[in-house]
PDB file of all heavy atoms in Angstrom:
ATOM      1  N   LEU A 249       8.617   7.444  13.927  1.00  0.00           N
ATOM      2  CA  LEU A 249       7.525   6.645  14.480  1.00  0.00           C
ATOM      3  C   LEU A 249       7.869   5.157  14.487  1.00  0.00           C
ATOM      4  O   LEU A 249       7.564   4.448  15.455  1.00  0.00           O
ATOM      5  CB  LEU A 249       6.248   6.897  13.688  1.00  0.00           C
ATOM      6  CG  LEU A 249       5.585   8.262  13.917  1.00  0.00           C
ATOM      7  CD1 LEU A 249       4.556   8.557  12.829  1.00  0.00           C
ATOM      8  CD2 LEU A 249       4.924   8.310  15.296  1.00  0.00           C
ATOM      9  N   MET A 250       8.522   4.686  13.431  1.00  0.00           N
ATOM     10  CA  MET A 250       8.898   3.275  13.420  1.00  0.00           C
ATOM     11  C   MET A 250       9.939   2.981  14.500  1.00  0.00           C
ATOM     12  O   MET A 250       9.893   1.920  15.150  1.00  0.00           O
ATOM     13  CB  MET A 250       9.420   2.866  12.047  1.00  0.00           C
ATOM     14  CG  MET A 250       9.684   1.363  11.929  1.00  0.00           C
ATOM     15  SD  MET A 250      10.233   0.844  10.284  1.00  0.00           S
ATOM     16  CE  MET A 250       8.707   1.000   9.369  1.00  0.00           C
ATOM     17  N   ALA A 251      10.863   3.908  14.723  1.00  0.00           N
ATOM     18  CA  ALA A 251      11.853   3.714  15.783  1.00  0.00           C
ATOM     19  C   ALA A 251      11.174   3.648  17.151  1.00  0.00           C
ATOM     20  O   ALA A 251      11.539   2.819  17.993  1.00  0.00           O
ATOM     21  CB  ALA A 251      12.878   4.844  15.744  1.00  0.00           C
ATOM     22  N   VAL A 252      10.194   4.508  17.381  1.00  0.00           N
ATOM     23  CA  VAL A 252       9.454   4.475  18.648  1.00  0.00           C
ATOM     24  C   VAL A 252       8.726   3.139  18.799  1.00  0.00           C
ATOM     25  O   VAL A 252       8.712   2.532  19.880  1.00  0.00           O
ATOM     26  CB  VAL A 252       8.461   5.649  18.725  1.00  0.00           C
ATOM     27  CG1 VAL A 252       7.524   5.494  19.929  1.00  0.00           C
ATOM     28  CG2 VAL A 252       9.213   6.975  18.814  1.00  0.00           C
ATOM     29  N   ALA A 253       8.115   2.660  17.708  1.00  0.00           N
ATOM     30  CA  ALA A 253       7.415   1.372  17.754  1.00  0.00           C
ATOM     31  C   ALA A 253       8.379   0.244  18.111  1.00  0.00           C
ATOM     32  O   ALA A 253       8.044  -0.642  18.915  1.00  0.00           O
ATOM     33  CB  ALA A 253       6.748   1.100  16.402  1.00  0.00           C
ATOM     34  N   VAL A 254       9.569   0.272  17.546  1.00  0.00           N
ATOM     35  CA  VAL A 254      10.577  -0.750  17.843  1.00  0.00           C
ATOM     36  C   VAL A 254      10.972  -0.705  19.319  1.00  0.00           C
ATOM     37  O   VAL A 254      11.037  -1.745  19.999  1.00  0.00           O
ATOM     38  CB  VAL A 254      11.821  -0.544  16.948  1.00  0.00           C
ATOM     39  CG1 VAL A 254      12.982  -1.403  17.443  1.00  0.00           C
ATOM     40  CG2 VAL A 254      11.487  -0.885  15.499  1.00  0.00           C
ATOM     41  N   ILE A 255      11.215   0.485  19.824  1.00  0.00           N
ATOM     42  CA  ILE A 255      11.618   0.620  21.230  1.00  0.00           C
ATOM     43  C   ILE A 255      10.509   0.134  22.156  1.00  0.00           C
ATOM     44  O   ILE A 255      10.755  -0.620  23.110  1.00  0.00           O
ATOM     45  CB  ILE A 255      11.981   2.087  21.534  1.00  0.00           C
ATOM     46  CG1 ILE A 255      13.253   2.471  20.781  1.00  0.00           C
ATOM     47  CG2 ILE A 255      12.160   2.301  23.030  1.00  0.00           C
ATOM     48  CD1 ILE A 255      13.567   3.951  20.805  1.00  0.00           C
ATOM     49  N   LEU A 256       9.279   0.534  21.879  1.00  0.00           N
ATOM     50  CA  LEU A 256       8.148   0.102  22.715  1.00  0.00           C
ATOM     51  C   LEU A 256       7.982  -1.410  22.689  1.00  0.00           C
ATOM     52  O   LEU A 256       7.637  -2.032  23.698  1.00  0.00           O
ATOM     53  CB  LEU A 256       6.856   0.769  22.237  1.00  0.00           C
ATOM     54  CG  LEU A 256       6.712   2.269  22.496  1.00  0.00           C
ATOM     55  CD1 LEU A 256       5.437   2.795  21.833  1.00  0.00           C
ATOM     56  CD2 LEU A 256       6.692   2.562  23.989  1.00  0.00           C
ATOM     57  N   ALA A 257       8.230  -2.021  21.527  1.00  0.00           N
ATOM     58  CA  ALA A 257       8.034  -3.461  21.388  1.00  0.00           C
ATOM     59  C   ALA A 257       9.147  -4.267  22.037  1.00  0.00           C
ATOM     60  O   ALA A 257       8.901  -5.305  22.653  1.00  0.00           O
ATOM     61  CB  ALA A 257       7.914  -3.826  19.908  1.00  0.00           C
ATOM     62  N   LEU A 258      10.387  -3.800  21.906  1.00  0.00           N
ATOM     63  CA  LEU A 258      11.531  -4.628  22.288  1.00  0.00           C
ATOM     64  C   LEU A 258      12.099  -4.360  23.669  1.00  0.00           C
ATOM     65  O   LEU A 258      12.738  -5.248  24.255  1.00  0.00           O
ATOM     66  CB  LEU A 258      12.664  -4.472  21.254  1.00  0.00           C
ATOM     67  CG  LEU A 258      12.598  -5.425  20.054  1.00  0.00           C
ATOM     68  CD1 LEU A 258      11.391  -5.133  19.175  1.00  0.00           C
ATOM     69  CD2 LEU A 258      13.866  -5.363  19.247  1.00  0.00           C
ATOM     70  N   MET A 259      11.914  -3.161  24.192  1.00  0.00           N
ATOM     71  CA  MET A 259      12.573  -2.799  25.447  1.00  0.00           C
ATOM     72  C   MET A 259      12.328  -3.765  26.603  1.00  0.00           C
ATOM     73  O   MET A 259      13.252  -4.071  27.360  1.00  0.00           O
ATOM     74  CB  MET A 259      12.174  -1.381  25.853  1.00  0.00           C
ATOM     75  CG  MET A 259      12.949  -0.294  25.121  1.00  0.00           C
ATOM     76  SD  MET A 259      14.722  -0.327  25.471  1.00  0.00           S
ATOM     77  CE  MET A 259      14.762   0.364  27.122  1.00  0.00           C
ATOM     78  N   PRO A 260      11.129  -4.303  26.789  1.00  0.00           N
ATOM     79  CA  PRO A 260      10.939  -5.155  27.963  1.00  0.00           C
ATOM     80  C   PRO A 260      11.758  -6.436  27.961  1.00  0.00           C
ATOM     81  O   PRO A 260      12.254  -6.859  29.001  1.00  0.00           O
ATOM     82  CB  PRO A 260       9.434  -5.473  27.917  1.00  0.00           C
ATOM     83  CG  PRO A 260       8.845  -4.396  27.071  1.00  0.00           C
ATOM     84  CD  PRO A 260       9.887  -4.069  26.062  1.00  0.00           C
ATOM     85  N   LYS A 261      11.915  -7.089  26.777  1.00  0.00           N
ATOM     86  CA  LYS A 261      12.477  -8.440  26.783  1.00  0.00           C
ATOM     87  C   LYS A 261      13.705  -8.632  25.905  1.00  0.00           C
ATOM     88  O   LYS A 261      14.522  -9.511  26.169  1.00  0.00           O
ATOM     89  CB  LYS A 261      11.409  -9.450  26.346  1.00  0.00           C
ATOM     90  CG  LYS A 261      10.246  -9.615  27.311  1.00  0.00           C
ATOM     91  CD  LYS A 261       9.312 -10.713  26.845  1.00  0.00           C
ATOM     92  CE  LYS A 261       8.161 -10.918  27.836  1.00  0.00           C
ATOM     93  NZ  LYS A 261       7.250 -12.002  27.396  1.00  0.00           N
ATOM     94  N   ALA A 262      13.830  -7.887  24.825  1.00  0.00           N
ATOM     95  CA  ALA A 262      14.870  -8.163  23.831  1.00  0.00           C
ATOM     96  C   ALA A 262      16.254  -7.777  24.337  1.00  0.00           C
ATOM     97  O   ALA A 262      16.409  -6.910  25.208  1.00  0.00           O
ATOM     98  CB  ALA A 262      14.556  -7.431  22.534  1.00  0.00           C
ATOM     99  N   SER A 263      17.274  -8.397  23.752  1.00  0.00           N
ATOM    100  CA  SER A 263      18.650  -8.078  24.094  1.00  0.00           C
ATOM    101  C   SER A 263      19.041  -6.735  23.490  1.00  0.00           C
ATOM    102  O   SER A 263      18.381  -6.214  22.588  1.00  0.00           O
ATOM    103  CB  SER A 263      19.581  -9.161  23.565  1.00  0.00           C
ATOM    104  OG  SER A 263      19.609  -9.128  22.140  1.00  0.00           O
ATOM    105  N   PHE A 264      20.162  -6.197  23.974  1.00  0.00           N
ATOM    106  CA  PHE A 264      20.644  -4.918  23.444  1.00  0.00           C
ATOM    107  C   PHE A 264      20.958  -5.027  21.957  1.00  0.00           C
ATOM    108  O   PHE A 264      20.629  -4.140  21.173  1.00  0.00           O
ATOM    109  CB  PHE A 264      21.894  -4.487  24.224  1.00  0.00           C
ATOM    110  CG  PHE A 264      22.533  -3.241  23.680  1.00  0.00           C
ATOM    111  CD1 PHE A 264      21.964  -1.996  23.902  1.00  0.00           C
ATOM    112  CD2 PHE A 264      23.702  -3.320  22.916  1.00  0.00           C
ATOM    113  CE1 PHE A 264      22.554  -0.842  23.391  1.00  0.00           C
ATOM    114  CE2 PHE A 264      24.296  -2.178  22.410  1.00  0.00           C
ATOM    115  CZ  PHE A 264      23.713  -0.933  22.644  1.00  0.00           C
ATOM    116  N   MET A 265      21.590  -6.128  21.540  1.00  0.00           N
ATOM    117  CA  MET A 265      21.946  -6.304  20.135  1.00  0.00           C
ATOM    118  C   MET A 265      20.701  -6.425  19.260  1.00  0.00           C
ATOM    119  O   MET A 265      20.674  -5.907  18.137  1.00  0.00           O
ATOM    120  CB  MET A 265      22.832  -7.537  19.955  1.00  0.00           C
ATOM    121  CG  MET A 265      24.290  -7.297  20.305  1.00  0.00           C
ATOM    122  SD  MET A 265      25.008  -5.890  19.378  1.00  0.00           S
ATOM    123  CE  MET A 265      24.785  -6.448  17.694  1.00  0.00           C
ATOM    124  N   ALA A 266      19.669  -7.090  19.764  1.00  0.00           N
ATOM    125  CA  ALA A 266      18.422  -7.195  19.004  1.00  0.00           C
ATOM    126  C   ALA A 266      17.796  -5.820  18.821  1.00  0.00           C
ATOM    127  O   ALA A 266      17.293  -5.488  17.739  1.00  0.00           O
ATOM    128  CB  ALA A 266      17.446  -8.128  19.718  1.00  0.00           C
ATOM    129  N   LEU A 267      17.848  -5.004  19.873  1.00  0.00           N
ATOM    130  CA  LEU A 267      17.296  -3.654  19.788  1.00  0.00           C
ATOM    131  C   LEU A 267      18.073  -2.808  18.773  1.00  0.00           C
ATOM    132  O   LEU A 267      17.467  -2.094  17.959  1.00  0.00           O
ATOM    133  CB  LEU A 267      17.332  -2.993  21.166  1.00  0.00           C
ATOM    134  CG  LEU A 267      16.789  -1.560  21.252  1.00  0.00           C
ATOM    135  CD1 LEU A 267      15.318  -1.507  20.847  1.00  0.00           C
ATOM    136  CD2 LEU A 267      16.982  -0.990  22.657  1.00  0.00           C
ATOM    137  N   VAL A 268      19.394  -2.914  18.801  1.00  0.00           N
ATOM    138  CA  VAL A 268      20.217  -2.151  17.854  1.00  0.00           C
ATOM    139  C   VAL A 268      19.915  -2.577  16.417  1.00  0.00           C
ATOM    140  O   VAL A 268      19.750  -1.740  15.527  1.00  0.00           O
ATOM    141  CB  VAL A 268      21.709  -2.342  18.175  1.00  0.00           C
ATOM    142  CG1 VAL A 268      22.574  -1.768  17.054  1.00  0.00           C
ATOM    143  CG2 VAL A 268      22.054  -1.672  19.499  1.00  0.00           C
ATOM    144  N   LEU A 269      19.839  -3.890  16.186  1.00  0.00           N
ATOM    145  CA  LEU A 269      19.553  -4.376  14.837  1.00  0.00           C
ATOM    146  C   LEU A 269      18.168  -3.937  14.361  1.00  0.00           C
ATOM    147  O   LEU A 269      17.998  -3.505  13.216  1.00  0.00           O
ATOM    148  CB  LEU A 269      19.637  -5.899  14.800  1.00  0.00           C
ATOM    149  CG  LEU A 269      20.985  -6.513  14.423  1.00  0.00           C
ATOM    150  CD1 LEU A 269      20.938  -8.027  14.566  1.00  0.00           C
ATOM    151  CD2 LEU A 269      21.373  -6.130  13.003  1.00  0.00           C
ATOM    152  N   ALA A 270      17.188  -4.032  15.241  1.00  0.00           N
ATOM    153  CA  ALA A 270      15.824  -3.647  14.862  1.00  0.00           C
ATOM    154  C   ALA A 270      15.737  -2.151  14.569  1.00  0.00           C
ATOM    155  O   ALA A 270      15.055  -1.723  13.634  1.00  0.00           O
ATOM    156  CB  ALA A 270      14.839  -4.038  15.959  1.00  0.00           C
ATOM    157  N   LEU A 271      16.442  -1.338  15.356  1.00  0.00           N
ATOM    158  CA  LEU A 271      16.431   0.108  15.120  1.00  0.00           C
ATOM    159  C   LEU A 271      17.171   0.481  13.838  1.00  0.00           C
ATOM    160  O   LEU A 271      16.906   1.533  13.246  1.00  0.00           O
ATOM    161  CB  LEU A 271      17.052   0.844  16.310  1.00  0.00           C
ATOM    162  CG  LEU A 271      16.170   0.968  17.554  1.00  0.00           C
ATOM    163  CD1 LEU A 271      16.967   1.553  18.707  1.00  0.00           C
ATOM    164  CD2 LEU A 271      14.939   1.831  17.260  1.00  0.00           C
ATOM    165  N   ALA A 272      18.086  -0.376  13.398  1.00  0.00           N
ATOM    166  CA  ALA A 272      18.764  -0.123  12.122  1.00  0.00           C
ATOM    167  C   ALA A 272      17.791  -0.207  10.951  1.00  0.00           C
ATOM    168  O   ALA A 272      18.049   0.359   9.887  1.00  0.00           O
ATOM    169  CB  ALA A 272      19.908  -1.114  11.930  1.00  0.00           C
ATOM    170  N   GLY A 273      16.663  -0.891  11.165  1.00  0.00           N
ATOM    171  CA  GLY A 273      15.657  -1.019  10.110  1.00  0.00           C
ATOM    172  C   GLY A 273      15.079   0.312   9.664  1.00  0.00           C
ATOM    173  O   GLY A 273      15.178   0.672   8.476  1.00  0.00           O
ATOM    174  N   PRO A 274      14.448   1.075  10.565  1.00  0.00           N
ATOM    175  CA  PRO A 274      13.935   2.385  10.141  1.00  0.00           C
ATOM    176  C   PRO A 274      15.031   3.339   9.684  1.00  0.00           C
ATOM    177  O   PRO A 274      14.806   4.166   8.795  1.00  0.00           O
ATOM    178  CB  PRO A 274      13.214   2.904  11.388  1.00  0.00           C
ATOM    179  CG  PRO A 274      13.676   2.065  12.526  1.00  0.00           C
ATOM    180  CD  PRO A 274      14.024   0.733  11.923  1.00  0.00           C
ATOM    181  N   TRP A 275      16.230   3.242  10.284  1.00  0.00           N
ATOM    182  CA  TRP A 275      17.329   4.098   9.861  1.00  0.00           C
ATOM    183  C   TRP A 275      17.696   3.824   8.398  1.00  0.00           C
ATOM    184  O   TRP A 275      17.810   4.751   7.588  1.00  0.00           O
ATOM    185  CB  TRP A 275      18.533   3.845  10.769  1.00  0.00           C
ATOM    186  CG  TRP A 275      19.779   4.612  10.388  1.00  0.00           C
ATOM    187  CD1 TRP A 275      20.076   5.910  10.675  1.00  0.00           C
ATOM    188  CD2 TRP A 275      20.890   4.106   9.636  1.00  0.00           C
ATOM    189  NE1 TRP A 275      21.308   6.256  10.156  1.00  0.00           N
ATOM    190  CE2 TRP A 275      21.824   5.171   9.508  1.00  0.00           C
ATOM    191  CE3 TRP A 275      21.199   2.872   9.062  1.00  0.00           C
ATOM    192  CZ2 TRP A 275      23.033   5.017   8.830  1.00  0.00           C
ATOM    193  CZ3 TRP A 275      22.402   2.720   8.382  1.00  0.00           C
ATOM    194  CH2 TRP A 275      23.294   3.790   8.282  1.00  0.00           C
TER     195      TRP A 275
END
Side-chain angles (χ1 to χ4, degrees):
L249 287 165
M250 186 177 287
V252 171
V254 168
I255 292 170
L256 289 174
L258 272 67
M259 280 297 285
K261 293 185 178 181
S263 68
F264 175 75
M265 280 305 300
L267 180 61
V268 170
L269 268 174
L271 284 173
W275 176 81

